[in-house]
Coordinates of all heavy atoms in Angstrom, one line a residue:
T1 N -59.5 -10.2 29.5 CA -59.0 -11.5 30.0 C -57.7 -11.8 29.4 O -57.4 -11.7 28.3 CB -60.0 -12.6 29.5 OG1 -61.3 -12.3 30.0 CG2 -59.6 -14.0 30.0
K2 N -56.7 -12.3 30.3 CA -55.4 -12.7 29.9 C -55.2 -14.1 30.5 O -55.4 -14.3 31.7 CB -54.3 -11.8 30.4 CG -54.3 -10.4 29.7 CD -53.1 -9.6 30.2 CE -53.6 -8.8 31.3 NZ -52.6 -7.8 31.8
T3 N -54.7 -15.0 29.7 CA -54.4 -16.4 30.2 C -53.4 -17.1 29.3 O -53.3 -16.7 28.1 CB -55.7 -17.2 30.4 OG1 -55.4 -18.4 31.1 CG2 -56.3 -17.5 29.0
P4 N -52.6 -18.0 29.8 CA -51.7 -18.8 28.9 C -52.5 -19.8 28.1 O -53.6 -20.3 28.5 CB -50.7 -19.4 29.8 CG -51.4 -19.5 31.1 CD -52.4 -18.4 31.2
L5 N -52.0 -20.2 26.9 CA -52.5 -21.3 26.1 C -52.3 -22.6 26.9 O -51.2 -22.8 27.4 CB -51.9 -21.3 24.7 CG -52.3 -20.3 23.7 CD1 -51.6 -20.5 22.4 CD2 -53.8 -20.3 23.5
Y6 N -53.3 -23.4 26.8 CA -53.2 -24.7 27.5 C -52.5 -25.7 26.5 O -51.6 -26.5 26.9 CB -54.5 -25.2 27.9 CG -54.6 -26.5 28.7 CD1 -53.9 -26.6 29.9 CD2 -55.2 -27.6 28.2 CE1 -54.0 -27.8 30.6 CE2 -55.2 -28.8 28.9 CZ -54.6 -28.9 30.1 OH -54.6 -30.0 30.8
T7 N -52.9 -25.7 25.2 CA -52.2 -26.5 24.2 C -52.1 -25.7 22.9 O -52.9 -24.7 22.7 CB -53.0 -27.8 23.9 OG1 -54.3 -27.4 23.4 CG2 -53.2 -28.7 25.1
G8 N -51.2 -26.1 22.1 CA -51.0 -25.3 20.8 C -51.7 -26.0 19.7 O -52.0 -25.3 18.7
Q9 N -51.9 -27.3 19.7 CA -52.5 -28.0 18.5 C -53.4 -29.1 19.1 O -52.9 -30.1 19.5 CB -51.4 -28.6 17.6 CG -51.7 -28.6 16.2 CD -52.2 -27.3 15.6 OE1 -51.9 -26.2 16.0 NE2 -53.1 -27.4 14.6
P10 N -54.7 -28.9 19.2 CA -55.5 -27.7 18.8 C -55.3 -26.6 19.8 O -54.8 -26.9 20.9 CB -56.9 -28.2 18.9 CG -56.9 -29.3 19.9 CD -55.6 -30.0 19.7
I11 N -55.6 -25.4 19.4 CA -55.4 -24.2 20.3 C -56.5 -24.2 21.3 O -57.6 -24.1 21.0 CB -55.4 -22.9 19.4 CG1 -54.4 -23.0 18.3 CG2 -55.2 -21.7 20.3 CD1 -54.6 -22.0 17.2
T12 N -56.1 -24.4 22.6 CA -57.0 -24.4 23.7 C -56.5 -23.5 24.9 O -55.3 -23.3 25.0 CB -57.3 -25.8 24.2 OG1 -56.1 -26.4 24.7 CG2 -57.9 -26.7 23.2
A13 N -57.4 -23.1 25.7 CA -57.1 -22.3 26.9 C -58.1 -22.7 28.0 O -59.2 -23.0 27.7 CB -57.0 -20.8 26.6
K14 N -57.7 -22.6 29.2 CA -58.6 -22.9 30.4 C -59.4 -21.7 30.8 O -59.3 -21.2 31.9 CB -57.7 -23.4 31.5 CG -57.1 -24.7 31.3 CD -58.1 -25.8 31.5 CE -57.4 -27.2 31.6 NZ -58.3 -28.2 32.0
I15 N -60.2 -21.2 29.9 CA -61.2 -20.1 30.1 C -62.5 -20.5 29.5 O -62.5 -21.4 28.6 CB -60.7 -18.7 29.6 CG1 -60.5 -18.8 28.1 CG2 -59.5 -18.2 30.4 CD1 -60.2 -17.4 27.5
G16 N -63.6 -20.0 29.9 CA -64.8 -20.4 29.4 C -66.0 -19.5 29.7 O -65.9 -18.3 29.8
M17 N -67.1 -20.1 30.0 CA -68.4 -19.4 30.2 C -68.3 -18.5 31.5 O -69.0 -17.4 31.5 CB -69.6 -20.3 30.3 CG -69.9 -21.0 29.0 SD -71.3 -22.1 29.2 CE -71.4 -22.7 27.5
K18 N -67.6 -18.9 32.4 CA -67.4 -18.1 33.7 C -66.8 -16.7 33.3 O -67.1 -15.7 34.0 CB -66.6 -18.8 34.7 CG -66.5 -18.1 36.0 CD -65.8 -19.0 37.1 CE -64.4 -19.1 36.9 NZ -63.7 -19.8 38.0
E19 N -65.9 -16.7 32.3 CA -65.3 -15.4 31.9 C -66.1 -14.7 30.9 O -65.7 -13.6 30.4 CB -63.9 -15.7 31.3 CG -62.9 -16.1 32.4 CD -63.0 -17.6 32.8 OE1 -63.6 -18.4 32.1 OE2 -62.4 -17.9 33.9
G20 N -67.3 -15.2 30.5 CA -68.3 -14.5 29.6 C -68.1 -14.9 28.2 O -68.6 -14.2 27.3
L21 N -67.4 -15.9 27.9 CA -67.2 -16.3 26.5 C -68.5 -16.9 25.9 O -69.2 -17.7 26.5 CB -66.1 -17.4 26.3 CG -64.7 -16.9 26.7 CD1 -63.7 -18.0 26.4 CD2 -64.3 -15.7 25.9
E22 N -68.9 -16.5 24.7 CA -70.1 -17.0 24.0 C -69.8 -17.5 22.6 O -70.6 -18.2 22.0 CB -71.1 -15.8 23.9 CG -71.6 -15.3 25.2 CD -72.5 -14.1 25.1 OE1 -72.7 -13.6 24.0 OE2 -73.1 -13.7 26.1
G23 N -68.6 -17.2 22.1 CA -68.2 -17.6 20.8 C -68.0 -16.4 19.9 O -68.8 -15.5 19.9
G24 N -66.9 -16.4 19.1 CA -66.6 -15.3 18.2 C -65.7 -14.2 18.8 O -65.2 -13.4 18.1
E25 N -65.4 -14.3 20.1 CA -64.5 -13.3 20.7 C -63.1 -13.5 20.1 O -62.6 -14.6 19.8 CB -64.4 -13.4 22.2 CG -65.7 -13.1 22.9 CD -66.7 -14.2 23.0 OE1 -66.4 -15.3 22.5 OE2 -67.7 -14.0 23.6
K26 N -62.4 -12.4 20.0 CA -61.0 -12.4 19.4 C -60.0 -12.2 20.5 O -60.2 -11.4 21.4 CB -60.9 -11.3 18.3 CG -61.7 -11.6 17.1 CD -61.4 -10.6 16.0 CE -62.3 -10.8 14.8 NZ -61.7 -11.8 13.8
F27 N -58.9 -12.9 20.4 CA -57.8 -12.8 21.3 C -56.5 -12.6 20.5 O -56.3 -13.2 19.4 CB -57.6 -14.1 22.2 CG -58.7 -14.2 23.2 CD1 -60.0 -14.7 22.9 CD2 -58.4 -13.9 24.5 CE1 -60.9 -14.8 23.8 CE2 -59.4 -14.1 25.5 CZ -60.7 -14.5 25.2
E28 N -55.5 -11.8 21.0 CA -54.2 -11.8 20.4 C -53.3 -12.7 21.1 O -53.4 -12.9 22.3 CB -53.7 -10.3 20.4 CG -53.4 -9.7 21.7 CD -52.9 -8.3 21.6 OE1 -52.5 -7.8 20.6 OE2 -52.9 -7.6 22.7
V29 N -52.4 -13.3 20.4 CA -51.5 -14.3 20.9 C -50.1 -13.6 21.1 O -49.6 -13.0 20.1 CB -51.3 -15.5 20.0 CG1 -50.3 -16.5 20.6 CG2 -52.7 -16.2 19.7
L30 N -49.6 -13.6 22.3 CA -48.3 -13.0 22.6 C -47.2 -14.0 23.0 O -47.5 -14.9 23.7 CB -48.5 -12.0 23.7 CG -49.6 -10.9 23.5 CD1 -49.9 -10.2 24.8 CD2 -49.3 -10.0 22.4
E31 N -46.0 -13.7 22.5 CA -44.9 -14.6 22.8 C -44.0 -13.8 23.8 O -43.6 -12.6 23.5 CB -44.1 -15.0 21.6 CG -43.0 -15.9 21.8 CD -42.3 -16.4 20.6 OE1 -42.2 -15.6 19.6 OE2 -41.9 -17.6 20.5
Q32 N -43.5 -14.5 24.8 CA -42.7 -13.8 25.8 C -41.2 -13.9 25.4 O -40.7 -15.0 25.1 CB -42.9 -14.5 27.2 CG -42.1 -13.9 28.3 CD -42.4 -14.6 29.6 OE1 -43.3 -15.4 29.7 NE2 -41.6 -14.4 30.6
L33 N -40.5 -12.8 25.3 CA -39.1 -12.7 24.9 C -38.3 -11.9 25.9 O -38.8 -11.0 26.5 CB -39.0 -12.1 23.5 CG -39.8 -12.7 22.4 CD1 -39.8 -11.8 21.2 CD2 -39.2 -14.1 22.0
M34 N -37.1 -12.3 26.1 CA -36.2 -11.6 27.0 C -35.3 -10.6 26.1 O -34.7 -11.1 25.2 CB -35.3 -12.5 27.8 CG -34.4 -11.7 28.7 SD -33.3 -12.8 29.7 CE -34.4 -13.1 31.1
N35 N -35.3 -9.4 26.5 CA -34.4 -8.4 25.8 C -33.0 -8.6 26.3 O -32.7 -8.5 27.4 CB -34.9 -7.0 26.1 CG -34.1 -5.9 25.3 OD1 -33.0 -6.1 25.0 ND2 -34.8 -4.8 25.1
P36 N -32.1 -9.0 25.4 CA -30.7 -9.3 25.8 C -29.9 -8.1 26.3 O -29.0 -8.3 27.1 CB -30.0 -9.9 24.5 CG -30.9 -9.4 23.4 CD -32.3 -9.2 23.9
E37 N -30.3 -6.9 25.9 CA -29.6 -5.7 26.4 C -30.0 -5.3 27.8 O -29.2 -5.0 28.6 CB -29.9 -4.6 25.4 CG -29.3 -4.8 24.0 CD -29.7 -3.7 23.0 OE1 -30.4 -2.8 23.4 OE2 -29.4 -3.9 21.8
T38 N -31.3 -5.4 28.1 CA -31.8 -4.9 29.4 C -32.1 -6.0 30.3 O -32.2 -5.8 31.5 CB -33.1 -4.1 29.2 OG1 -34.1 -4.9 28.6 CG2 -32.8 -2.9 28.3
G39 N -32.3 -7.3 29.8 CA -32.7 -8.4 30.6 C -34.1 -8.4 31.0 O -34.6 -9.2 31.8
S40 N -34.9 -7.5 30.5 CA -36.4 -7.4 30.8 C -37.2 -8.3 29.9 O -36.8 -8.6 28.8 CB -36.9 -6.0 30.8 OG -36.7 -5.4 29.5
I41 N -38.4 -8.6 30.3 CA -39.3 -9.5 29.6 C -40.2 -8.6 28.7 O -40.7 -7.6 29.2 CB -40.2 -10.3 30.5 CG1 -39.3 -11.2 31.3 CG2 -41.2 -11.1 29.7 CD1 -38.5 -12.3 30.6
E42 N -40.3 -8.9 27.4 CA -41.2 -8.2 26.5 C -42.1 -9.2 25.8 O -41.8 -10.4 25.8 CB -40.3 -7.5 25.4 CG -39.4 -6.4 26.0 CD -38.4 -5.8 25.0 OE1 -38.4 -6.4 23.8 OE2 -37.7 -4.9 25.3
Y43 N -43.2 -8.7 25.3 CA -44.2 -9.5 24.7 C -44.3 -9.1 23.2 O -44.5 -7.9 22.9 CB -45.5 -9.5 25.4 CG -45.5 -10.1 26.7 CD1 -45.3 -9.4 27.9 CD2 -45.7 -11.5 26.8 CE1 -45.2 -10.0 29.1 CE2 -45.7 -12.1 28.1 CZ -45.5 -11.4 29.2 OH -45.4 -12.0 30.4
K44 N -44.2 -10.1 22.3 CA -44.4 -9.8 20.9 C -45.6 -10.4 20.3 O -45.8 -11.6 20.6 CB -43.1 -10.3 20.1 CG -43.2 -10.0 18.6 CD -41.9 -10.5 18.0 CE -42.0 -10.3 16.5 NZ -40.9 -10.9 15.8
K45 N -46.5 -9.7 19.6 CA -47.7 -10.2 19.1 C -47.4 -11.2 17.9 O -46.6 -10.9 17.0 CB -48.6 -9.1 18.6 CG -49.9 -9.6 18.0 CD -50.8 -8.4 17.6 CE -52.1 -8.9 17.0 NZ -53.0 -7.9 16.6
K46 N -47.9 -12.4 18.0 CA -47.7 -13.4 17.0 C -48.9 -13.7 16.1 O -48.8 -14.4 15.1 CB -47.3 -14.7 17.7 CG -46.0 -14.7 18.4 CD -44.9 -14.3 17.4 CE -43.9 -15.3 17.3 NZ -42.8 -15.0 16.4
G47 N -50.1 -13.1 16.5 CA -51.3 -13.3 15.7 C -52.5 -13.2 16.5 O -52.5 -12.8 17.7
T48 N -53.7 -13.5 15.9 CA -55.0 -13.5 16.5 C -55.7 -14.8 16.4 O -55.5 -15.5 15.4 CB -55.9 -12.3 16.0 OG1 -56.1 -12.5 14.6 CG2 -55.2 -11.0 16.3
I49 N -56.5 -15.1 17.3 CA -57.3 -16.3 17.3 C -58.8 -16.0 17.7 O -59.0 -14.9 18.3 CB -56.8 -17.4 18.2 CG1 -56.6 -16.9 19.7 CG2 -55.5 -18.0 17.7 CD1 -56.1 -18.0 20.6
T50 N -59.7 -16.8 17.3 CA -61.1 -16.6 17.6 C -61.7 -17.8 18.3 O -61.4 -18.9 18.0 CB -61.9 -16.4 16.3 OG1 -61.3 -15.3 15.5 CG2 -63.3 -16.0 16.5
V51 N -62.6 -17.5 19.3 CA -63.2 -18.6 20.1 C -64.2 -19.4 19.2 O -65.0 -18.8 18.4 CB -64.1 -18.0 21.2 CG1 -64.8 -19.1 22.0 CG2 -63.2 -17.3 22.2
N52 N -64.0 -20.7 19.2 CA -64.9 -21.6 18.4 C -66.2 -21.8 19.2 O -66.2 -22.3 20.3 CB -64.2 -23.0 18.2 CG -64.9 -23.9 17.3 OD1 -66.1 -23.7 17.1 ND2 -64.2 -24.9 16.8
K53 N -67.3 -21.4 18.6 CA -68.6 -21.5 19.3 C -69.0 -22.9 19.8 O -69.7 -23.1 20.7 CB -69.7 -21.0 18.4 CG -69.6 -19.5 18.1 CD -70.7 -19.1 17.2 CE -70.5 -17.7 16.7 NZ -71.5 -17.2 15.8
K54 N -68.5 -23.9 19.1 CA -68.9 -25.3 19.3 C -68.2 -25.9 20.5 O -68.7 -26.9 21.1 CB -68.7 -26.2 18.1 CG -69.5 -25.8 16.9 CD -69.2 -26.6 15.7 CE -70.0 -26.2 14.5 NZ -69.6 -27.0 13.3
F55 N -67.1 -25.3 20.9 CA -66.2 -25.9 22.0 C -65.9 -24.9 23.0 O -64.7 -24.6 23.2 CB -65.0 -26.6 21.4 CG -65.3 -27.7 20.4 CD1 -65.1 -27.5 19.1 CD2 -65.7 -28.9 20.8 CE1 -65.4 -28.5 18.1 CE2 -66.0 -29.9 19.9 CZ -65.9 -29.7 18.6
I56 N -66.9 -24.4 23.8 CA -66.6 -23.5 24.9 C -66.8 -24.3 26.2 O -67.8 -24.9 26.4 CB -67.6 -22.3 24.8 CG1 -67.4 -21.5 23.5 CG2 -67.4 -21.4 26.0 CD1 -68.3 -20.4 23.3
W57 N -65.8 -24.2 27.0 CA -65.8 -24.9 28.3 C -66.8 -24.2 29.2 O -66.7 -23.0 29.5 CB -64.4 -24.9 28.9 CG -64.2 -25.6 30.2 CD1 -64.9 -26.7 30.6 CD2 -63.2 -25.2 31.2 NE1 -64.4 -27.0 31.9 CE2 -63.4 -26.2 32.2 CE3 -62.3 -24.3 31.3 CZ2 -62.6 -26.1 33.4 CZ3 -61.5 -24.2 32.5 CH2 -61.7 -25.2 33.5
D58 N -67.7 -25.0 29.8 CA -68.6 -24.5 30.9 C -67.9 -24.7 32.2 O -68.1 -25.7 32.9 CB -69.9 -25.3 30.8 CG -71.0 -24.6 31.7 OD1 -70.7 -23.7 32.4 OD2 -72.1 -25.1 31.7
N59 N -67.2 -23.6 32.6 CA -66.4 -23.7 33.9 C -67.1 -23.0 35.0 O -66.5 -22.7 36.0 CB -65.0 -23.1 33.7 CG -65.0 -21.7 33.2 OD1 -66.0 -21.2 32.7 ND2 -63.9 -21.1 33.3
R60 N -68.4 -22.7 34.8 CA -69.2 -22.1 35.9 C -69.4 -23.1 37.0 O -69.1 -24.3 36.8 CB -70.6 -21.7 35.4 CG -70.5 -20.6 34.3 CD -71.8 -20.4 33.7 NE -72.3 -21.5 32.9 CZ -73.4 -21.6 32.2 NH1 -74.1 -20.5 32.1 NH2 -73.7 -22.7 31.6
Y61 N -69.8 -22.7 38.2 CA -69.9 -23.6 39.3 C -70.9 -24.7 39.0 O -72.1 -24.5 38.6 CB -70.4 -22.8 40.5 CG -70.6 -23.6 41.8 CD1 -69.5 -24.1 42.5 CD2 -71.9 -24.0 42.2 CE1 -69.6 -24.9 43.6 CE2 -72.0 -24.8 43.3 CZ -70.9 -25.2 44.0 OH -71.0 -26.0 45.1
N62 N -70.4 -25.9 39.0 CA -71.2 -27.2 38.7 C -71.7 -27.2 37.2 O -72.6 -27.9 36.9 CB -72.4 -27.4 39.6 CG -72.0 -27.9 41.0 OD1 -70.9 -28.5 41.1 ND2 -72.8 -27.7 42.0
G63 N -71.1 -26.3 36.4 CA -71.6 -26.3 35.0 C -71.4 -27.5 34.2 O -72.3 -28.0 33.6
S64 N -70.2 -28.1 34.2 CA -69.9 -29.3 33.4 C -70.5 -30.5 34.1 O -70.8 -31.5 33.4 CB -68.4 -29.4 33.2 OG -67.7 -29.5 34.5
E65 N -70.7 -30.5 35.4 CA -71.4 -31.6 36.0 C -72.8 -31.8 35.6 O -73.4 -32.8 35.4 CB -71.2 -31.5 37.5 CG -69.8 -31.7 38.0 CD -69.7 -31.4 39.5 OE1 -70.7 -31.4 40.2 OE2 -68.5 -31.3 40.0
V66 N -73.5 -30.6 35.5 CA -74.9 -30.6 35.1 C -75.1 -31.1 33.7 O -75.9 -31.9 33.3 CB -75.5 -29.2 35.3 CG1 -76.9 -29.1 34.7 CG2 -75.5 -28.8 36.8
L67 N -74.2 -30.5 32.8 CA -74.3 -30.9 31.3 C -73.6 -32.2 31.0 O -73.9 -32.7 29.9 CB -73.7 -29.7 30.5 CG -74.5 -28.4 30.6 CD1 -73.7 -27.3 29.8 CD2 -75.9 -28.5 30.1
D68 N -72.8 -32.7 31.9 CA -72.0 -33.9 31.6 C -71.3 -33.9 30.3 O -71.4 -34.8 29.5 CB -72.9 -35.1 31.7 CG -72.2 -36.4 31.9 OD1 -71.1 -36.4 32.4 OD2 -72.6 -37.5 31.3
T69 N -70.4 -32.9 30.1 CA -69.7 -32.7 28.9 C -68.2 -33.1 29.1 O -67.7 -33.2 30.2 CB -69.7 -31.3 28.4 OG1 -69.0 -30.4 29.3 CG2 -71.1 -30.8 28.2
E70 N -67.6 -33.4 28.0 CA -66.2 -33.8 28.0 C -65.2 -32.6 27.7 O -64.0 -32.7 27.8 CB -65.9 -34.9 27.0 CG -66.6 -36.2 27.3 CD -66.1 -36.8 28.6 OE1 -64.9 -36.8 28.8 OE2 -66.9 -37.3 29.3
V71 N -65.8 -31.4 27.4 CA -65.0 -30.2 27.1 C -64.4 -29.7 28.4 O -65.1 -29.3 29.3 CB -65.9 -29.1 26.4 CG1 -65.1 -27.9 26.1 CG2 -66.5 -29.7 25.2
K72 N -63.1 -29.7 28.5 CA -62.4 -29.2 29.6 C -61.5 -28.0 29.4 O -60.8 -27.6 30.2 CB -61.5 -30.4 30.2 CG -62.2 -31.6 30.6 CD -63.2 -31.3 31.8 CE -63.9 -32.6 32.2 NZ -65.0 -32.3 33.0
A73 N -61.6 -27.4 28.2 CA -60.9 -26.2 27.8 C -61.6 -25.6 26.6 O -62.2 -26.4 25.8 CB -59.5 -26.5 27.5
T74 N -61.5 -24.3 26.4 CA -62.1 -23.7 25.2 C -61.2 -23.8 24.0 O -60.0 -23.6 24.2 CB -62.4 -22.2 25.5 OG1 -63.4 -22.2 26.6 CG2 -63.0 -21.5 24.3
T75 N -61.8 -24.1 22.9 CA -61.0 -24.3 21.6 C -61.1 -23.0 20.8 O -62.1 -22.4 20.7 CB -61.5 -25.5 20.8 OG1 -61.4 -26.7 21.7 CG2 -60.6 -25.8 19.6
F76 N -60.0 -22.7 20.1 CA -59.9 -21.5 19.3 C -59.6 -21.9 17.9 O -59.1 -22.9 17.6 CB -58.8 -20.6 19.8 CG -59.1 -20.0 21.2 CD1 -58.7 -20.8 22.3 CD2 -59.6 -18.8 21.4 CE1 -59.0 -20.3 23.6 CE2 -59.9 -18.3 22.6 CZ -59.5 -19.0 23.8
K77 N -60.0 -20.9 16.9 CA -59.7 -21.1 15.5 C -58.7 -20.0 15.1 O -58.7 -18.9 15.6 CB -61.0 -21.0 14.7 CG -62.1 -22.0 15.0 CD -63.2 -21.8 14.0 CE -64.1 -20.6 14.5 NZ -65.4 -20.5 13.8
G78 N -57.9 -20.4 14.1 CA -57.0 -19.4 13.5 C -55.6 -19.5 13.9 O -55.3 -19.9 15.1
G79 N -54.7 -19.3 13.0 CA -53.3 -19.3 13.3 C -52.7 -20.7 13.4 O -53.4 -21.7 13.5
K80 N -51.4 -20.7 13.5 CA -50.6 -22.0 13.6 C -49.3 -21.6 14.3 O -48.9 -20.5 14.5 CB -50.5 -22.7 12.3 CG -49.8 -21.9 11.2 CD -49.8 -22.6 9.9 CE -49.3 -21.7 8.8 NZ -49.4 -22.3 7.5
N81 N -48.5 -22.7 14.6 CA -47.2 -22.5 15.2 C -47.3 -21.9 16.6 O -46.4 -21.2 17.1 CB -46.2 -21.7 14.4 CG -45.9 -22.5 13.1 OD1 -45.9 -23.7 13.0 ND2 -45.7 -21.7 12.0
Y82 N -48.5 -22.1 17.3 CA -48.6 -21.6 18.7 C -48.3 -22.8 19.6 O -48.4 -24.0 19.2 CB -50.0 -21.1 19.0 CG -50.4 -19.9 18.1 CD1 -51.7 -19.9 17.6 CD2 -49.5 -18.9 17.8 CE1 -52.1 -18.8 16.8 CE2 -49.9 -17.8 17.1 CZ -51.2 -17.8 16.6 OH -51.5 -16.7 15.8
Y83 N -47.8 -22.5 20.8 CA -47.5 -23.6 21.7 C -48.0 -23.2 23.1 O -48.3 -22.1 23.4 CB -45.9 -23.8 21.7 CG -45.1 -22.6 22.0 CD1 -44.8 -22.2 23.3 CD2 -44.7 -21.8 20.9 CE1 -44.0 -21.1 23.5 CE2 -43.9 -20.7 21.1 CZ -43.6 -20.3 22.4 OH -42.9 -19.2 22.7
S84 N -48.0 -24.3 24.0 CA -48.5 -24.1 25.3 C -47.6 -23.1 26.1 O -46.4 -23.1 26.0 CB -48.4 -25.5 26.0 OG -48.8 -25.4 27.4
G85 N -48.3 -22.2 26.8 CA -47.6 -21.2 27.6 C -47.6 -19.8 27.0 O -47.4 -18.8 27.7
M86 N -47.9 -19.7 25.7 CA -48.0 -18.4 25.1 C -49.2 -17.7 25.7 O -50.2 -18.3 26.0 CB -48.2 -18.5 23.6 CG -47.0 -19.0 22.8 SD -47.3 -19.1 21.1 CE -46.6 -17.6 20.5
L87 N -49.1 -16.4 25.9 CA -50.1 -15.6 26.6 C -51.2 -15.1 25.5 O -50.8 -14.7 24.4 CB -49.5 -14.4 27.2 CG -50.5 -13.5 28.1 CD1 -50.9 -14.3 29.3 CD2 -49.8 -12.2 28.5
I88 N -52.5 -15.2 25.9 CA -53.5 -14.7 25.0 C -54.2 -13.6 25.8 O -54.4 -13.6 27.0 CB -54.5 -15.7 24.5 CG1 -55.2 -16.4 25.7 CG2 -53.8 -16.7 23.6 CD1 -56.4 -17.3 25.2
R89 N -54.6 -12.5 25.1 CA -55.2 -11.3 25.7 C -56.4 -11.0 24.8 O -56.3 -10.9 23.6 CB -54.2 -10.2 25.8 CG -54.8 -8.9 26.4 CD -53.8 -7.9 26.6 NE -53.0 -7.6 25.4 CZ -52.0 -6.8 25.4 NH1 -51.6 -6.2 26.5 NH2 -51.4 -6.5 24.2
Q90 N -57.6 -10.8 25.5 CA -58.8 -10.5 24.7 C -58.8 -9.1 24.1 O -58.4 -8.2 24.8 CB -60.0 -10.7 25.6 CG -61.3 -10.6 24.9 CD -62.5 -11.0 25.7 OE1 -62.4 -11.2 26.9 NE2 -63.7 -11.1 25.1
L91 N -59.2 -9.0 22.9 CA -59.3 -7.8 22.2 C -60.7 -7.2 22.4 O -61.7 -7.9 22.4 CB -59.0 -7.9 20.7 CG -57.6 -8.4 20.4 CD1 -57.5 -8.8 18.9 CD2 -56.6 -7.4 20.7
K92 N -60.8 -5.9 22.5 CA -62.1 -5.3 22.7 C -62.8 -4.9 21.3 O -62.2 -4.7 20.4 CB -62.0 -4.0 23.5 CG -61.6 -4.4 24.9 CD -61.6 -3.2 25.8 CE -61.2 -3.6 27.2 NZ -61.5 -2.8 28.2

């Protein structure tokens, strides 16, 4: 799974149960940088984050309507100085 961060503080992303998250999964945080010599886009690893079991978004079909929850994005633990738009990629 690859997706951009939705917010940096707290660390959230718009992925959830539909993507198979159960809590404890690890993701690496990547920052997009432009190489000044070639003009190409490169990604630099900035750290790792872990899914918080207590705040997983139920984005399955009618999932949040049935449970009537306020969680609209999955929250992660670990790291700091992350910002909206940074790419996260699930580690195996």
